Amino acid sequence: MSRSTTTGQPHRSARAKSGTQQTGAADAAVLAELRPGQSVELLKELHILTREGRLNQDSRRKLKQVYHLYQFIEPLLAELSADGHAPLLADHGAGKSYLGFILYDLFFKQLGRGEIYGIEWRAELVQRSRELAQRLGFARMHFLDMAVADAAGAAELPERFDIVTALHACDTATDDAIAFGLRKQARAMVLVPCCQAEVAACLRGTKALSLSRTPLAELWRHPIHTREMGSQITNVLRCLHLEASGYQVTVTELVGWEHSMKNELILARYTGQKKRSARERLAAILEEFGLAQALGSRFGLDDAGSVAV
C-alpha cells in the first residue's frame, strides 16, 4: 500500500505541474494578443476577458475588430492632439462602449487631456457605462442616453468635435452620425456601417417600373440581391455626400470577412475641398435609382432637385 502511494505521488505532481504550465502558456498567449498598456481589468469588466483572464472565440473576434479600428483612429488622435490640443471624440451607437473604453485606456488616459462622448439610446447600457467609467476613474468619459439623430442639437454636447466614430450603427444611424459630424465640423469621421434597409425598401417599391425601364434592374430583382444592392448603394451615396461636403474619403476593409460580414470601413478627413463632381454624381445616382424624392434631403438635395452646396 505504501509503495503504491509513494509511486503515485510523482504522477500527481507531474500532472499538476503540466496543468500549471498549460495555464501559464494560455495566459501568455492571451497577453500576447493585447496591445501594450492595455488594462486587463478593463477587458474583464467589458467581459472581453473572463474573470480568469481567458479569451473565447467570440470575444477574440470582438477585440480584433476594435483593435483594428484603433489602428486607424490612433494616428488621427495623435495628429489632432498636437500642440496641446485636447481632442474631442463622439462615439455614436456606442452600445456597451467597447470602442470608447479601449480608446480611453490606450490613448486618452496617457495623454491626460481630451474627452470621449458615448451616444447610445438604450438607457440601461448608458447607465452601465457611466458606472464602469466611475469605477475605473475614467473621468473624461461621458455617456448620453439619446438617439444619434437627436444628438446634433443636444445642449449637453460641445459645439465642435474633432473625431466622430460609429462602429456598426444600425440602418440610418450611420447617416445620422455623418449629419452630426457635418454639423459639428468634425475633422475626421471613422465609420463602419451595419445593416441598411431604407434604400432596399425604395428599390423594392419601384422594382416593376425599373425592370421595364432598364435591364440593370436585374441587379436587384431577387430579394437577396435587393438587400445587398441597397447596402452597396447606400455606402456609395454616403461617400459621395462626404466628398461633396469637403472630406477626402478612403474605403477599405476593417478586418477579414471571417470575423464580420459588416466589414466596410469608411474613413473621411476634412480638407475643405468640396468636390463638384461628387455632388453631380450623387444627384445622378439618386435620380437613376428613383431615390431622389425619398432620400434627397438626407444627402443634401435641395427642393429643386440639385445638390445643395
Side-chain angles (χ1 to χ4, degrees):
M1 176 68 73
S2 60
R3 186 165 58 248
S4 173
T5 302
T6 303
T7 56
Q9 186 65 38
H11 292 292
R12 288 195 295 273
S13 298
R15 284 196 299 272
K17 184 177 181 181
S18 175
T20 301
Q21 289 174 338
Q22 289 175 358
T23 300
D27 292 343
V30 168
L31 291 174
E33 295 191 46
L34 306 186
R35 296 186 68 89
Q38 177 73 76
S39 166
V40 171
E41 289 308 310
L42 169 63
L43 297 184
K44 288 180 179 179
E45 290 278 8
L46 293 174
H47 304 295
I48 291 176
L49 290 181
T50 66
R51 287 298 171 193
E52 295 74 31
R54 308 293 171 79
L55 271 172
N56 61 37
Q57 193 58 37
D58 181 60
S59 58
R60 179 177 278 107
R61 181 163 48 246
K62 191 175 301 178
L63 186 63
K64 189 178 183 71
Q65 289 181 41
V66 174
Y67 275 176
H68 272 264
L69 198 54
Y70 178 80
Q71 289 179 339
F72 291 100
I73 298 173
E74 190 273 338
L76 295 171
L77 285 169
E79 177 185 330
L80 294 170
S81 61
D83 302 322
H85 179 64
L88 297 180
L89 183 147
D91 182 27
H92 285 286
K96 297 179 180 178
S97 292
Y98 293 112
L99 176 60
F101 277 111
I102 288 175
L103 282 170
Y104 194 98
D105 189 44
L106 293 178
F107 188 87
F108 283 81
K109 186 169 65 176
Q110 183 177 357
L111 184 67
R113 60 183 185 274
E115 299 174 69
I116 294 178
Y117 289 79
I119 299 163
E120 169 60 46
W121 65 271
R122 288 168 288 187
E124 68 278 9
L125 296 184
V126 170
Q127 184 58 32
R128 238 179 273 169
S129 294
R130 286 172 178 163
E131 292 169 357
L132 177 55
Q134 187 173 18
R135 284 201 304 275
L136 295 170
F138 288 7
R140 289 173 285 112
M141 288 193 79
H142 316 280
F143 301 94
L144 284 79
D145 171 13
M146 63 177 60
V148 179
D150 299 327
E156 308 96 301
L157 289 167
E159 285 299 311
R160 298 186 66 172
F161 275 88
D162 295 291
I163 299 180
V164 170
T165 63
L167 175 57
H168 293 159
C170 286
D171 203 13
T172 59
T174 298
D175 301 304
D176 295 331
I178 291 172
F180 176 94
L182 294 178
R183 179 164 174 176
K184 297 294 185 178
Q185 302 176 55
R187 305 301 302 175
M189 299 191 217
V190 183
L191 312 165
V192 182
C194 194
C195 53
Q196 164 55 237
E198 190 177 37
V199 169
C202 293
L203 292 177
R204 281 193 296 270
T206 60
K207 186 180 298 183
L209 177 62
S210 299
L211 281 167
S212 65
R213 186 167 61 90
T214 171
L216 288 177
E218 291 291 340
L219 293 173
W220 65 92
R221 179 160 66 94
H222 299 288
I224 189 171
H225 294 158
T226 304
R227 183 188 68 201
E228 296 303 317
M229 190 71 176
S231 180
Q232 184 81 348
I233 291 171
T234 301
N235 288 338
V236 169
L237 292 172
R238 287 165 174 163
C239 292
L240 289 171
H241 185 34
L242 286 163
E243 288 179 338
S245 302
Y247 287 80
Q248 181 184 50
V249 176
T250 302
V251 182
T252 186
E253 291 181 1
L254 176 60
V255 289
W257 290 103
E258 70 274 13
H259 295 289
S260 174
M261 292 302 292
K262 303 300 181 183
N263 199 32
E264 187 169 332
L265 171 61
I266 300 172
L267 295 166
R269 297 191 56 162
Y270 187 72
T271 64
Q273 298 177 350
K274 299 181 179 183
K275 293 179 66 174
R276 180 173 296 277
S277 61
R279 294 198 301 270
E280 293 169 349
R281 289 175 181 180
L282 173 58
I285 290 172
L286 286 168
E287 185 64 34
E288 178 67 24
F289 287 96
L291 302 171
Q293 183 174 356
L295 303 180
S297 60
R298 170 163 300 171
F299 294 104
L301 275 181
D302 60 21
D303 293 336
S306 60
V307 179
V309 177

